[in-house]
Amino acid sequence: LIWFGYNIQLSAILAFVILIFLMSILLLIGYSILWIINLPTKWTNHFKKLQESNVETELLNLLTSYEAENFNIALELTQKMKKKLEKNPFFLWIAGNIFEKTKHHLEAEQCFMALISQPDTFFLGLKGQIRAAIEHGDFNRAYDLLKRGEKDFSSSPWVLKHFLALARKQKKFIDAEKIALRLDDLGYI
């Protein structure tokens, strides 16, 4: 090889080894630069996964407290998580039930209204409002909500059974008979 006026003599094997070494160095530098460029993305993804696992753990703890009927602990957890998970439908459902059990009716109503506003969780919000109305003794509101539920969920045994019970309680025997026949046709009674 003649390079810048210098005469360099190498064997073909040594030249090949030097070429492989230089290519390896270039590849290593390229991968290092790509790794450094992708590092913030990796950190962000790791942080998101960590947050998602924390949210799942918090929701599980909240549900466990609710199901164990430790309503004071569940209420404390709900208050802590409220800001962070105010749009999460699972949180809204569990929180609405906890608020209802702990006599925080306004907060429960807000949770159920947020669920009704989304098409995927409409039934959960409606169910929460119906149970709250029944618990408060507002049977007319519960009846109206059940009529609304019957339109959208005409084959739901929960809606039909509660609708039947309220129709009987309000002595609306024609409605009660229709609902009982529908429940019988569907095989629920």
Side-chain angles (χ1 to χ4, degrees):
L1 282 173
I2 298 176
W3 191 38
F4 293 111
Y6 294 101
N7 191 10
I8 301 173
Q9 292 183 351
L10 296 174
S11 68
I13 294 176
L14 184 60
F16 184 70
V17 169
I18 290 173
L19 183 65
I20 296 289
F21 178 73
L22 290 175
M23 293 293 282
S24 299
I25 296 273
L26 285 174
L27 282 174
L28 182 63
I29 290 172
Y31 281 123
S32 298
I33 290 171
L34 284 176
W35 184 80
I36 290 171
I37 289 172
N38 288 331
L39 193 60
T41 306
K42 289 179 183 179
W43 284 348
T44 304
N45 289 341
H46 176 70
F47 186 68
K48 282 182 183 177
K49 284 182 183 178
L50 187 62
Q51 280 184 330
E52 287 173 3
S53 93
N54 285 343
V55 167
E56 289 175 4
T57 303
E58 288 175 346
L59 281 173
L60 187 58
N61 289 338
L62 182 64
L63 183 61
T64 301
S65 298
Y66 173 71
E67 290 296 327
E69 297 183 4
N70 293 332
F71 297 123
N72 292 332
I73 294 170
L75 185 61
E76 288 175 22
L77 290 171
T78 303
Q79 297 295 353
K80 286 180 190 176
M81 298 165 56
K82 193 173 185 179
K83 291 268 189 203
K84 185 168 51 171
L85 298 175
E86 63 188 349
K87 303 266 188 227
N88 186 312
F90 296 111
F91 171 75
L92 289 171
W93 173 246
I94 298 167
N97 287 310
I98 290 169
F99 285 137
E100 194 61 42
K101 293 284 186 183
T102 57
K103 310 292 186 217
H104 292 84
H105 303 296
L106 180 62
E107 290 92 344
E109 184 71 21
Q110 290 171 345
C111 290
F112 297 138
M113 289 301 291
L115 287 170
I116 282 180
S117 68
Q118 300 172 18
D120 294 340
T121 58
F122 176 79
F123 179 74
L124 293 175
L126 188 66
K127 184 176 180 178
Q129 285 187 325
I130 292 167
R131 286 193 327 208
I134 291 171
E135 189 173 312
H136 297 131
D138 189 356
F139 299 116
N140 290 330
R141 181 169 182 256
Y143 190 80
D144 292 339
L145 289 169
L146 281 165
K147 272 188 161 179
R148 184 176 174 190
E150 183 197 16
K151 287 179 192 172
D152 297 329
F153 306 97
S154 60
S155 63
S156 167
W158 187 90
V159 170
L160 293 174
K161 288 176 183 177
H162 282 77
F163 199 30
L164 176 62
L166 278 180
R168 286 180 182 164
K169 187 171 193 87
Q170 294 183 328
K171 299 184 182 187
K172 296 181 180 181
F173 297 115
I174 294 173
D175 288 344
E177 183 181 2
K178 289 177 186 175
I179 296 165
L181 289 173
R182 188 170 331 135
L183 280 166
D184 188 40
D185 289 343
L186 294 171
Y188 296 127
I189 57 172

